[in-house]
Amino acid sequence: MADLQSTLKRKPEGPLRLGWTTGACATAATKAALTALITGAFPDPVEIRLPRGQMPQFALSVKTLGENQATAGIIKDAGDDPDVTDKATIIATVTPARPNSGIIFKAGKGVGTVTRPGLPLDVGEAAINPVPRRMMSEVCKEICDKYSFPQDLVITISVPDGENIALKTWNPRLGILGGISILGTTGIVHPFSCSAWIHSIHSGIDVARAEGASHVLGATGATSEDAAQAIYHLPDYAILDMGDFVGAVLKYLRHHPIDKLTIAGGFAKLTKLAQGEMDLHSSRSQVDKTFLWTIAKNAGLNQSFKHFIENANTAKEVLDIATKEGIDIATPIALQAKHVAEETLRSALVTVEIIVTDRKGNILARK
C-alpha cells in the first residue's frame, strides 16, 4: 500500500475499481500451467474460484511449455488501489515431484523466503501465505482428479523485479528476504482510499441505524469477521467495512450511536488498538514490543523473557512465547483495547465488545 498522500493523488473520480491479490494471480497462473503440463494447451483466459465464491478470469501474459514443465504468468491488476505490486507479473512454474511428496511450494526469483520466526510460515519457507497455498492446492487437486494425474507437484512462484518491489514493503524488516510475499485471504484487493473507505464506514453506520440495528460488527479482516459471525450471524447491513480504520468507526459512533459494537481482529491489530492507535495499517502504526512486554510481565511472564519479547520479530512471536509459558496475554490486550475504544467513544451509549482471534480464526479472548 502507498502512503496517504500518494493514495489521494491516485484516487480516480467515481466508483473505485476492485483488483486482485497476488495470491489470486498465483492461483490462476498455477491452474493454467498445470493444465498445460497435463494437456499441452493453456487455458486463456483462465478462471478460478475465490474463497467467497467469485469466479474471475485472468488473461495470460506468459506461456511456456517444456519437457515435464509448464510456466504461466499473469500481470496483476490492483484496480484503483495504489498497491506496490500493481502491474507486477506473477509467474507459476509447475513440474512433477517425486511420488508421494504431495505439493511442494518454492520461492522463485522475486519471491521472498522467511528467515525469522513469528510469521504464519516456518523459517526457510517460501513467503506464500496459507490462504494462497490452500487456493493453489485446491485447484491442483481439482485438475489432477479430472485427468487422473498424480498430485505430486512442485509449484514455483516467481515475480520479475520482486526484489526491488519488496524494498517498498515491510518484508525486509520482518525477515522476509529476496522478494515479495504472495498474499490475500479473499483474492480481492479493495481500493485503499482513506476518504472513500471512511465514507463507506459512515454510510454503513447510517444504513445500520436506518435498519434499526442494535448491534454492529467491525472486523479488521475476513478471518476475524468470520469468527465473530459464527457467534452472532448478524445481517449484512450490520457488518461494517472497518478494515484498519477502527478510529473512523469509533468517532462516527460517538455522534451516531448504536447499542452494541463488536470489534474483532487479530492479536497484532488489536494490540495496536490497545496501544491507542486508531489506524491499524502496517504502514502507519507498529506494534510496540515494550508495551507488549509490560502486558506480558503484568500477566505473569518471568523477567528473564524481557529481552526476547522486546526484540521479537512480530506480535505473533510474542504471543507464541507467552502461550508456551502458559501466560494469557490476549485477555489483557482485549481489556485494554476495550478501554481505549470506550475512551474514544466518550459518553456515547455504546457497549463495546472485543474479540481477539489468531490467524486461523480461533478466538483467543472475548471481552
Side-chain angles (χ1 to χ4, degrees), residues 162-279:
E163 300 97 323
N164 292 325
I165 296 172
L167 297 177
K168 302 173 185 177
T169 73
W170 288 102
N171 275 14
R173 176 176 285 189
L174 293 174
I176 299 173
L177 304 182
I180 68 168
S181 299
I182 304 301
L183 303 172
T185 57
T186 65
I188 297 174
V189 174
H190 293 276
F192 182 74
S193 168
C194 290
S195 57
W197 200 322
I198 290 170
H199 176 75
S200 74
I201 289 171
H202 294 174
S203 297
I205 293 172
D206 290 342
V207 168
R209 284 166 54 88
E211 291 284 351
S214 60
H215 183 189
V216 291
L217 166 64
T220 61
T223 301
S224 54
E225 180 182 304
D226 290 345
Q229 274 293 72
I231 299 170
Y232 290 115
H233 306 288
L234 294 171
D236 288 345
Y237 59 76
I239 310 300
L240 305 178
D241 190 16
M242 184 181 79
D244 292 317
F245 296 106
V246 64
V249 170
L250 294 169
K251 291 172 185 176
Y252 199 70
L253 283 174
R254 182 192 299 165
H255 302 290
H256 307 83
I258 291 175
D259 291 349
K260 182 176 179 178
L261 166 66
T262 294
I263 297 173
F267 178 76
K269 295 279 189 182
L270 293 188
T271 294
K272 294 180 188 180
L273 175 58
Q275 292 168 197
E277 300 289 351
M278 293 290 110
D279 185 339

Side-chain angles (χ1 to χ4, degrees), residues 290 292-311 321 325 327:
T290 300
L292 267 183
W293 161 244
T294 300
I295 293 289
K297 178 181 66 175
N298 291 340
L301 192 63
N302 189 282
Q303 180 73 23
S304 62
F305 286 93
K306 182 175 189 290
H307 174 79
F308 294 101
I309 299 297
E310 292 187 336
N311 291 278
I321 290 171
E325 294 302 309
I327 302 297

Side-chain angles (χ1 to χ4, degrees), residues 16-239:
L16 295 176
R17 190 168 57 89
L18 299 176
W20 311 112
T21 64
T22 49
C25 294
T27 300
T30 296
K31 181 175 181 178
L34 178 57
T35 301
L37 178 68
I38 296 171
T39 69
F42 290 90
D44 190 7
V46 57
E47 183 178 76
I48 63 169
R49 179 183 294 275
L50 299 181
R52 296 197 168 178
Q54 301 94 333
M55 300 285 289
Q57 292 186 335
F58 298 82
L60 300 184
S61 62
V62 175
K63 303 179 192 177
T64 305
L65 185 59
E67 185 176 355
N68 287 325
Q69 176 175 299
T71 298
I74 290 167
I75 297 174
K76 178 183 169 178
D77 179 3
D80 286 324
D81 188 74
D83 190 322
V84 296
T85 61
D86 186 37
K87 301 300 184 291
T89 302
I90 312 300
I91 297 173
T93 298
V94 180
T95 59
R98 288 179 286 102
N100 301 315
S101 60
I103 295 176
I104 300 168
F105 293 95
K106 290 189 175 181
K109 185 174 176 59
V111 171
T113 298
V114 177
T115 67
R116 297 180 66 184
L119 297 167
L121 299 166
D122 292 336
V123 171
E125 286 283 338
I128 303 170
N129 267 24
V131 173
R133 286 177 183 240
R134 186 172 73 240
M135 291 169 63
M136 284 182 266
S137 296
E138 288 173 353
V139 82
C140 287
K141 181 181 186 304
E142 176 187 331
I143 295 169
C144 289
D145 285 347
K146 179 179 179 179
Y147 294 103
S148 299
F149 193 83
Q151 294 179 36
D152 302 307
L153 304 166
V154 176
I155 301 173
T156 303
I157 306 298
S158 57
V159 180
D161 202 38
E163 300 97 323
N164 292 325
I165 296 172
L167 297 177
K168 302 173 185 177
T169 73
W170 288 102
N171 275 14
R173 176 176 285 189
L174 293 174
I176 299 173
L177 304 182
I180 68 168
S181 299
I182 304 301
L183 303 172
T185 57
T186 65
I188 297 174
V189 174
H190 293 276
F192 182 74
S193 168
C194 290
S195 57
W197 200 322
I198 290 170
H199 176 75
S200 74
I201 289 171
H202 294 174
S203 297
I205 293 172
D206 290 342
V207 168
R209 284 166 54 88
E211 291 284 351
S214 60
H215 183 189
V216 291
L217 166 64
T220 61
T223 301
S224 54
E225 180 182 304
D226 290 345
Q229 274 293 72
I231 299 170
Y232 290 115
H233 306 288
L234 294 171
D236 288 345
Y237 59 76
I239 310 300

Side-chain angles (χ1 to χ4, degrees), residues 245-366:
F245 296 106
V246 64
V249 170
L250 294 169
K251 291 172 185 176
Y252 199 70
L253 283 174
R254 182 192 299 165
H255 302 290
H256 307 83
I258 291 175
D259 291 349
K260 182 176 179 178
L261 166 66
T262 294
I263 297 173
F267 178 76
K269 295 279 189 182
L270 293 188
T271 294
K272 294 180 188 180
L273 175 58
Q275 292 168 197
E277 300 289 351
M278 293 290 110
D279 185 339
L280 309 181
H281 192 269
S282 60
S283 67
R284 290 178 302 281
S285 63
Q286 294 296 303
V287 170
D288 183 344
K289 305 299 175 18
T290 300
F291 170 82
L292 267 183
W293 161 244
T294 300
I295 293 289
K297 178 181 66 175
N298 291 340
L301 192 63
N302 189 282
Q303 180 73 23
S304 62
F305 286 93
K306 182 175 189 290
H307 174 79
F308 294 101
I309 299 297
E310 292 187 336
N311 291 278
N313 185 29
T314 63
K316 181 182 182 299
E317 186 179 357
V318 176
L319 178 63
D320 290 345
I321 290 171
T323 301
K324 185 177 180 181
E325 294 302 309
I327 302 297
D328 174 16
I329 59 173
T331 294
I333 286 294
L335 289 170
Q336 179 61 20
K338 181 175 182 176
H339 173 72
V340 169
E342 290 172 340
E343 288 290 303
T344 306
L345 286 164
R346 297 180 184 168
S347 59
L349 297 177
V350 180
T351 299
V352 177
E353 177 189 41
I354 302 291
I355 295 177
V356 183
T357 67
D358 65 15
R359 293 177 184 271
K360 295 180 179 179
N362 300 311
I363 293 177
L364 302 177
R366 183 182 174 195

